[in-house]
Amino acid sequence: MANSKKELTGWIVTCTENSMLLKTFAGEVRLQLQSSKGITQNQVKLNSFVKVIVLQKENIFEIEKIEVISESRDEFPLEPDIDYSKNLKVRHLWMRNEKMRALIMIRNQVLKYVSEFLDSNGFIQVQTPVITGTECVCSGSVFGMEYYGRTGVLNQSPWMYVDCIVNSGVEKVYAVMPSFRREEKQTAYHLSELWHIQCDQALITNEEAMQLEEKMICYVISHLLEKMESELNILGSNINALRQIAAPFERVDYDSAIKILKNSQIEIEWGKDLDKEEQTILSTKIGKPFFLYNPPFKTTNFFFRRDENRPEIAFTHDLYMPGVGEVIGGGERISDIDQLKKNMLEFGSMFDEYEWYLEGKKYGAIPHSGFNIGFDRLIMWIIGADDIREAVLFPRIPDCDIKP
């Protein structure tokens, strides 16, 4: 291989008598200093942004010339051997760490692969409102706001608008949108500002929705392993576990889940919404991604279809991932307006608050199913994080400062 000259730009991370570590746009690279060229460690200041001309000799890069583009004005305050992933006060500086660069790349590619999968299966991407007039019956309270003299809220989920678009005759729809939930306490799994991918398709069942989801997850993981293994390793992903992901995922109905928990000495009665501890026990027992389906209707939402033979259960599901819990939730939407109103009364929902949604169901509503991907939790599972703050660039959580 012939020697060649290259131009590199980046920050000086470390510098010794013989070498310099440069953080470039493509990653970190080790460069050799040449005192014979008059280039010494005393000439450079750590964290300065520089342009260097290097002579490449196989895998060795020798500095021929160095130009300071932007000199660092002070010593960088973060210690190189400390992990600041959970310290949000310095997140703007921690962004320079190789973990954050890897996270940026992984989030970009996961969204790309999800979109590729949905696009190739005929889905149309839409944009839905962030400001709306009422809560959409999701977890967490709403953030209220004043909207030109009226009361408004920041949307908790795009589902109601995607539902409306499918009901207008667009067969397959998805939206990638931020959502806002006024969580009461800080946990390792919840955010106040989160990203959702809402997908709805006409004329499919709860089971068919689960099949679509597991195919999508397998598509995303296979492409990440092929293209992004270096970034996954930097973030601490369990590569071997990801290689084992394959469809079909195990299905566990709610009745069976209660039996598993009781056999694990957990005191639980049929009808209870599973808490985090119970979800963790189930995930540990099963040890791989699984769908929990057909739960009690009262633990779901008014817009889901009930089993006509067992009206106490709903045709819904949640996809659970080891170490994280619920990542996707969905099910069959109810298209019968009379049953929809009965469901709303059971949940204590007021008809006038959902007037436009109900009106859309009066004129030949289209049966369909939908699911909502918690994008940040999906990332959390992929990278093997134990706290959702490690999976988001600038997390918004209860009782935290909103800067940066």
Side-chain angles (χ1 to χ4, degrees):
M1 178 180 176
N3 297 343
S4 61
K5 288 191 176 184
K6 291 186 174 182
E7 180 180 291
L8 301 174
T9 55
W11 287 292
I12 303 170
V13 180
T14 62
C15 191
T16 67
E17 184 178 351
N18 300 314
S19 68
M20 173 193 297
L21 184 63
L22 190 71
K23 179 179 174 61
T24 72
F25 294 118
E28 294 181 347
V29 59
R30 178 70 63 179
L31 309 177
Q32 301 298 314
L33 296 179
Q34 297 189 79
S35 57
S36 61
K37 299 277 187 179
I39 301 172
T40 66
Q41 68 180 119
N42 295 327
Q43 284 184 281
V44 296
K45 194 171 183 179
L46 295 185
N47 300 300
S48 295
F49 190 76
V50 300
K51 177 170 69 176
V52 295
I53 306 298
V54 299
L55 181 65
Q56 183 177 359
K57 300 178 179 179
E58 295 185 347
N59 293 325
I60 298 175
F61 296 88
E62 295 181 349
I63 298 178
E64 295 273 299
K65 181 182 178 181
I66 183 166
E67 175 187 345
V68 177
I69 296 175
S70 178
E71 185 175 70
S72 178
R73 299 300 180 90
D74 205 345
E75 183 177 344
F76 199 65
L78 303 190
E79 297 291 336
D81 299 326
I82 295 179
D83 190 315
Y84 293 88
S85 297
K86 299 173 185 176
N87 185 346
L88 301 186
K89 292 182 178 180
V90 295
R91 179 54 66 96
H92 56 298
L93 300 177
W94 179 243
M95 291 294 292
R96 290 194 184 187
N97 187 272
E98 65 172 355
K99 280 189 173 183
M100 292 306 297
R101 181 184 182 278
L103 177 61
I104 290 169
M105 302 300 290
I106 289 294
R107 286 180 65 96
N108 175 73
Q109 292 302 110
V110 170
L111 184 56
K112 172 187 174 182
Y113 296 143
V114 169
S115 297
E116 278 182 0
F117 176 84
L118 293 172
D119 292 345
S120 67
N121 280 276
F123 280 78
I124 304 298
Q125 184 177 176
V126 298
Q127 295 73 45
T128 62
V130 170
I131 301 173
T132 186
T134 186
E135 65 180 35
C136 63
V137 195
C138 297
S139 63
S141 301
V142 296
F143 286 100
M145 59 175 294
E146 186 273 333
Y147 184 74
Y148 297 106
R150 302 173 181 87
T151 298
V153 299
L154 296 180
N155 210 358
Q156 296 170 297
S157 167
W159 77 262
M160 201 177 298
Y161 294 99
V162 173
D163 180 301
C164 175
I165 293 168
V166 170
N167 202 43
S168 72
V170 183
E171 182 184 9
K172 302 176 181 181
V173 179
Y174 76 102
V176 182
M177 297 293 294
S179 297
F180 304 87
R181 299 185 181 180
R182 196 184 185 99
E183 301 291 352
E184 295 303 321
K185 60 182 180 179
Q186 182 177 324
T187 77
Y189 306 96
H190 292 88
L191 295 165
S192 294
E193 178 184 281
L194 55 153
W195 282 86
H196 280 147
I197 305 171
Q198 177 69 44
C199 309
D200 281 43
Q201 179 175 343
L203 305 176
I204 65 169
T205 64
N206 190 40
E207 170 59 31
E208 290 171 316
M210 289 189 278
Q211 292 174 13
L212 183 66
E213 292 164 42
E214 62 195 1
K215 290 176 183 176
M216 178 193 66
I217 294 294
C218 291
Y219 181 91
V220 170
I221 296 303
S222 65
H223 282 71
L224 285 177
L225 290 171
E226 179 184 353
K227 304 289 188 181
M228 306 295 291
E229 188 168 342
S230 174
E231 286 80 4
L232 291 172
N233 279 318
I234 289 172
L235 291 165
S237 300
N238 187 335
I239 300 294
N240 290 333
L242 292 177
R243 293 192 191 283
Q244 303 305 311
I245 301 300
F249 296 165
E250 188 166 344
R251 269 81 164 149
V252 179
D253 67 3
Y254 179 86
D255 294 345
S256 299
I258 294 299
K259 292 177 182 177
I260 293 172
L261 290 170
K262 286 185 174 181
N263 290 336
S264 301
Q265 311 307 312
I266 299 298
E267 293 184 8
I268 185 170
E269 296 300 322
W270 196 98
K272 180 182 182 294
D273 196 6
L274 302 188
D275 61 26
K276 189 61 188 177
E277 179 186 0
E278 292 153 354
Q279 295 172 14
T280 300
I281 292 171
L282 271 181
S283 296
T284 302
K285 287 281 184 183
I286 296 169
K288 54 186 177 182
F290 71 95
F291 288 106
L292 178 65
Y293 70 100
N294 289 7
F297 173 72
K298 66 181 182 180
T299 67
T300 63
N301 282 314
F302 68 71
F303 50 86
F304 285 120
R305 179 178 161 231
R306 304 165 86 147
D307 186 339
E308 289 79 4
N309 298 316
R310 288 185 65 190
E312 69 274 17
I313 71 170
F315 288 127
T316 70
H317 66 270
D318 292 316
L319 176 59
Y320 286 88
M321 297 301 194
V324 174
E326 179 191 347
V327 170
I328 301 177
E332 294 183 31
R333 311 296 195 220
I334 188 164
S335 56
D336 182 275
I337 188 170
D338 294 327
Q339 186 60 56
L340 177 58
K341 287 183 176 181
K342 290 178 183 178
N343 290 355
M344 293 177 71
L345 289 174
E346 284 192 40
F347 276 84
S349 300
M350 305 300 292
F351 293 164
D352 58 348
E353 293 180 354
Y354 300 93
E355 181 182 6
W356 70 268
Y357 178 71
L358 287 168
E359 186 174 27
K361 299 293 184 182
K362 289 169 60 177
Y363 312 106
I366 299 173
H368 68 283
S369 293
F371 57 89
N372 192 302
I373 306 165
F375 181 69
D376 306 297
R377 282 197 192 171
L378 177 60
I379 299 296
M380 183 180 175
W381 168 67
I382 288 171
I383 68 175
D386 62 7
D387 192 302
I388 200 163
R389 287 175 291 182
E390 300 173 57
V392 181
L393 302 186
F394 296 99
R396 296 293 181 250
I397 59 176
D399 298 324
C400 78
D401 203 337
I402 55 173
K403 55 183 181 183

